[in-house]
Amino acid sequence: MESTLVVPGRFCGPPDTGNGGYTAGLLAAGLAAGPVRVTLRQPPPLESPMVLTTDGDVVSATFGGAVIATAEHAELVADLVEPVPFATARAAQSHYPGLVGHPFPGCFVCGPTRLPGGPDGGLGLHPGPVGDYGPGGDGWVATSWVPDASLADDDGWIGPEIVWAALDCPGGWANDLGQRPMVLGRITASVDAVPEVGDRCVVVGRRLGADGRKSFTASTAYDTDGRILGHAESTWIAV
């Protein structure tokens, strides 16, 4: 079976490429519910049709004959990242490292130049440190998130790919992306619910470890009532 997938220009990560979490969420939609692992092999193009091919339980996206990403069901083993109060998450944002040094300032999820709202707006997530953070710490970050109406469709529905996007960068900023730029290499996520416009959500991330150029993180998103929207574990590759 073949179809196509296009990442609109609004949903960029690094310049001229699709945000990894958002792209992964679109690709995961081709599989049944449950945790899905998406491996990003090449930067996803923007505004260009990728060919989707389903082979058994694996969905692949290709562009110009190259495999861009694959999606398949997988076990999600990382523990949930503990939530913090909305006020704590909002206070943490003032210490967001990306405000003074961001490798991709136009990122849809966490770019400081992408304010929420309007057809070109971003998510406005600014994950800052909470708890014991930094050298010898555990890399625990948090950000508030209030989804705006521009993220919803005509029926007011916010798609699960937006939650996938929200789970992306807060994991990355559990590392020091400002000093050591990284891109998402793999994300395994389960999205159980979607927020409503105006919800006072919290997204938290935690560093799990590192191996050479690879770093491993977890992230969890919670809605106003503390309900889990989604949970993810990710592998980041230093560039």
Side-chain angles (χ1 to χ4, degrees):
M1 298 176 58
E2 287 191 358
S3 57
T4 58
L5 171 67
V6 176
V7 179
R10 177 184 183 183
F11 303 103
C12 66
D16 302 319
T17 67
N19 171 264
Y22 180 85
T23 304
L26 292 180
L27 197 56
L31 295 171
V36 173
R37 178 176 63 214
V38 177
T39 302
L40 298 164
R41 305 183 185 279
Q42 300 283 343
L46 290 174
E47 301 288 356
S48 299
M50 290 178 281
V51 176
L52 295 183
T53 304
T54 302
D55 183 4
D57 295 328
V58 179
V59 177
S60 299
T62 60
F63 180 71
V67 177
I68 302 298
T70 58
E72 58 193 319
H73 286 291
E75 186 178 4
L76 180 56
V77 298
D79 292 336
L80 297 172
V81 184
E82 308 94 303
V84 299
F86 184 85
T88 300
R90 176 150 286 184
Q93 294 173 199
S94 63
H95 302 290
Y96 172 46
L99 295 175
V100 294
H102 199 301
F104 312 118
C107 174
F108 166 71
V109 176
C110 65
T113 65
R114 299 294 300 279
L115 298 178
D120 296 319
L123 293 188
L125 303 192
H126 294 167
V130 293
D132 184 14
Y133 183 88
D138 59 7
W140 184 22
V141 298
T143 179
S144 65
W145 175 34
V146 180
D148 69 88
S150 74
L151 302 172
D153 63 17
D154 292 340
D155 296 321
W157 170 262
I158 294 176
E161 67 277 3
I162 299 295
V163 180
W164 276 78
L167 291 169
D168 177 0
C169 299
W173 283 101
N175 301 288
D176 190 354
L177 293 187
Q179 297 297 318
R180 192 184 190 198
M182 298 182 179
V183 293
L184 185 67
R186 174 176 288 169
I187 180 170
T188 304
S190 177
V191 173
D192 303 318
V194 294
E196 296 184 359
V197 172
D199 270 357
R200 289 160 58 91
C201 303
V202 167
V203 188
V204 283
R206 188 182 289 278
R207 183 174 59 241
L208 302 179
D211 182 10
R213 291 177 57 219
K214 295 181 179 179
S215 294
F216 310 102
T217 67
S219 53
T220 310
Y222 299 87
D223 73 359
T224 300
D225 300 320
R227 177 182 58 162
I228 297 169
L229 298 173
H231 177 55
E233 58 188 27
S234 303
T235 300
W236 293 80
I237 311 296
V239 297

